PDB file of all heavy atoms in Angstrom:
ATOM      1  N   CYS A 242     -16.981 168.171  15.246  1.00 96.00           N
ATOM      2  CA  CYS A 242     -17.586 168.824  16.415  1.00 96.00           C
ATOM      3  C   CYS A 242     -17.362 170.332  16.300  1.00 96.00           C
ATOM      4  O   CYS A 242     -16.233 170.789  16.143  1.00 96.00           O
ATOM      5  CB  CYS A 242     -16.972 168.283  17.701  1.00 96.00           C
ATOM      6  SG  CYS A 242     -17.553 169.147  19.161  1.00 96.00           S
ATOM      7  N   LEU A 243     -18.439 171.081  16.389  1.00 95.00           N
ATOM      8  CA  LEU A 243     -18.366 172.534  16.194  1.00 95.00           C
ATOM      9  C   LEU A 243     -17.707 173.228  17.393  1.00 95.00           C
ATOM     10  O   LEU A 243     -17.320 174.389  17.319  1.00 95.00           O
ATOM     11  CB  LEU A 243     -19.789 173.076  15.992  1.00 95.00           C
ATOM     12  CG  LEU A 243     -19.977 174.281  15.080  1.00 95.00           C
ATOM     13  CD1 LEU A 243     -19.324 174.081  13.744  1.00 95.00           C
ATOM     14  CD2 LEU A 243     -21.457 174.569  14.895  1.00 95.00           C
ATOM     15  N   ILE A 244     -17.591 172.515  18.507  1.00 94.00           N
ATOM     16  CA  ILE A 244     -17.025 173.137  19.713  1.00 94.00           C
ATOM     17  C   ILE A 244     -15.518 172.876  19.804  1.00 94.00           C
ATOM     18  O   ILE A 244     -14.742 173.780  20.078  1.00 94.00           O
ATOM     19  CB  ILE A 244     -17.721 172.607  20.995  1.00 94.00           C
ATOM     20  CG1 ILE A 244     -19.250 172.644  20.851  1.00 94.00           C
ATOM     21  CG2 ILE A 244     -17.267 173.370  22.231  1.00 94.00           C
ATOM     22  CD1 ILE A 244     -19.840 174.002  20.541  1.00 94.00           C
ATOM     23  N   CYS A 245     -15.107 171.611  19.569  1.00 93.00           N
ATOM     24  CA  CYS A 245     -13.693 171.302  19.778  1.00 93.00           C
ATOM     25  C   CYS A 245     -12.998 170.784  18.523  1.00 93.00           C
ATOM     26  O   CYS A 245     -11.787 170.595  18.526  1.00 93.00           O
ATOM     27  CB  CYS A 245     -13.529 170.290  20.914  1.00 93.00           C
ATOM     28  SG  CYS A 245     -14.097 168.642  20.488  1.00 93.00           S
ATOM     29  N   GLY A 246     -13.754 170.541  17.455  1.00 92.00           N
ATOM     30  CA  GLY A 246     -13.127 170.113  16.210  1.00 92.00           C
ATOM     31  C   GLY A 246     -12.897 168.612  16.108  1.00 92.00           C
ATOM     32  O   GLY A 246     -12.249 168.151  15.167  1.00 92.00           O
ATOM     33  N   TYR A 247     -13.434 167.823  17.060  1.00 95.00           N
ATOM     34  CA  TYR A 247     -13.277 166.358  16.987  1.00 95.00           C
ATOM     35  C   TYR A 247     -13.971 165.837  15.733  1.00 95.00           C
ATOM     36  O   TYR A 247     -15.085 166.241  15.413  1.00 95.00           O
ATOM     37  CB  TYR A 247     -13.888 165.706  18.229  1.00 95.00           C
ATOM     38  CG  TYR A 247     -13.858 164.186  18.189  1.00 95.00           C
ATOM     39  CD1 TYR A 247     -12.749 163.486  18.652  1.00 95.00           C
ATOM     40  CD2 TYR A 247     -14.932 163.457  17.673  1.00 95.00           C
ATOM     41  CE1 TYR A 247     -12.711 162.104  18.607  1.00 95.00           C
ATOM     42  CE2 TYR A 247     -14.899 162.073  17.619  1.00 95.00           C
ATOM     43  CZ  TYR A 247     -13.790 161.400  18.091  1.00 95.00           C
ATOM     44  OH  TYR A 247     -13.761 160.035  18.040  1.00 95.00           O
ATOM     45  N   HIS A 261     -18.858 160.953  20.857  1.00 96.00           N
ATOM     46  CA  HIS A 261     -18.096 162.118  21.337  1.00 96.00           C
ATOM     47  C   HIS A 261     -19.035 163.124  22.010  1.00 96.00           C
ATOM     48  O   HIS A 261     -18.714 163.672  23.068  1.00 96.00           O
ATOM     49  CB  HIS A 261     -17.344 162.775  20.178  1.00 96.00           C
ATOM     50  CG  HIS A 261     -16.806 164.133  20.526  1.00 96.00           C
ATOM     51  ND1 HIS A 261     -15.731 164.301  21.365  1.00 96.00           N
ATOM     52  CD2 HIS A 261     -17.229 165.385  20.194  1.00 96.00           C
ATOM     53  CE1 HIS A 261     -15.504 165.591  21.520  1.00 96.00           C
ATOM     54  NE2 HIS A 261     -16.399 166.281  20.821  1.00 96.00           N
ATOM     55  N   SER A 262     -20.196 163.331  21.397  1.00 94.00           N
ATOM     56  CA  SER A 262     -21.158 164.289  21.945  1.00 94.00           C
ATOM     57  C   SER A 262     -21.603 163.859  23.340  1.00 94.00           C
ATOM     58  O   SER A 262     -21.724 164.670  24.251  1.00 94.00           O
ATOM     59  CB  SER A 262     -22.363 164.395  21.015  1.00 94.00           C
ATOM     60  OG  SER A 262     -23.410 165.051  21.663  1.00 94.00           O
ATOM     61  N   SER A 265     -18.500 164.399  25.792  1.00 92.00           N
ATOM     62  CA  SER A 265     -18.026 165.772  26.004  1.00 92.00           C
ATOM     63  C   SER A 265     -19.153 166.745  26.327  1.00 92.00           C
ATOM     64  O   SER A 265     -18.908 167.804  26.872  1.00 92.00           O
ATOM     65  CB  SER A 265     -17.314 166.251  24.742  1.00 92.00           C
ATOM     66  OG  SER A 265     -18.245 166.290  23.668  1.00 92.00           O
ATOM     67  N   GLY A 266     -20.403 166.380  25.963  1.00 91.00           N
ATOM     68  CA  GLY A 266     -21.510 167.322  26.133  1.00 91.00           C
ATOM     69  C   GLY A 266     -21.555 168.350  25.015  1.00 91.00           C
ATOM     70  O   GLY A 266     -22.333 169.293  25.069  1.00 91.00           O
ATOM     71  N   HIS A 267     -20.717 168.177  23.986  1.00 94.00           N
ATOM     72  CA  HIS A 267     -20.743 169.090  22.832  1.00 94.00           C
ATOM     73  C   HIS A 267     -21.905 168.689  21.926  1.00 94.00           C
ATOM     74  O   HIS A 267     -21.947 167.573  21.429  1.00 94.00           O
ATOM     75  CB  HIS A 267     -19.419 169.010  22.048  1.00 94.00           C
ATOM     76  CG  HIS A 267     -18.237 169.434  22.863  1.00 94.00           C
ATOM     77  ND1 HIS A 267     -16.937 169.125  22.528  1.00 94.00           N
ATOM     78  CD2 HIS A 267     -18.174 170.160  24.017  1.00 94.00           C
ATOM     79  CE1 HIS A 267     -16.118 169.641  23.433  1.00 94.00           C
ATOM     80  NE2 HIS A 267     -16.843 170.261  24.353  1.00 94.00           N
ATOM     81  N   PHE A 269     -23.229 170.325  19.082  1.00 95.00           N
ATOM     82  CA  PHE A 269     -23.334 170.696  17.668  1.00 95.00           C
ATOM     83  C   PHE A 269     -22.197 170.088  16.856  1.00 95.00           C
ATOM     84  O   PHE A 269     -21.039 170.122  17.274  1.00 95.00           O
ATOM     85  CB  PHE A 269     -23.323 172.218  17.521  1.00 95.00           C
ATOM     86  CG  PHE A 269     -24.391 172.879  18.347  1.00 95.00           C
ATOM     87  CD1 PHE A 269     -24.061 173.620  19.477  1.00 95.00           C
ATOM     88  CD2 PHE A 269     -25.731 172.734  18.014  1.00 95.00           C
ATOM     89  CE1 PHE A 269     -25.045 174.213  20.251  1.00 95.00           C
ATOM     90  CE2 PHE A 269     -26.722 173.326  18.782  1.00 95.00           C
ATOM     91  CZ  PHE A 269     -26.376 174.063  19.906  1.00 95.00           C
TER      92      PHE A 269
HETATM   93 ZN1  LIG B 502     -16.288 168.307  20.790  1.00 59.86          ZN
END
Side-chain angles (χ1 to χ4, degrees):
C242 175
L243 212 51
I244 312 303
C245 71
Y247 176 87
H261 167 73
S262 166
S265 63
H267 298 162
F269 305 109

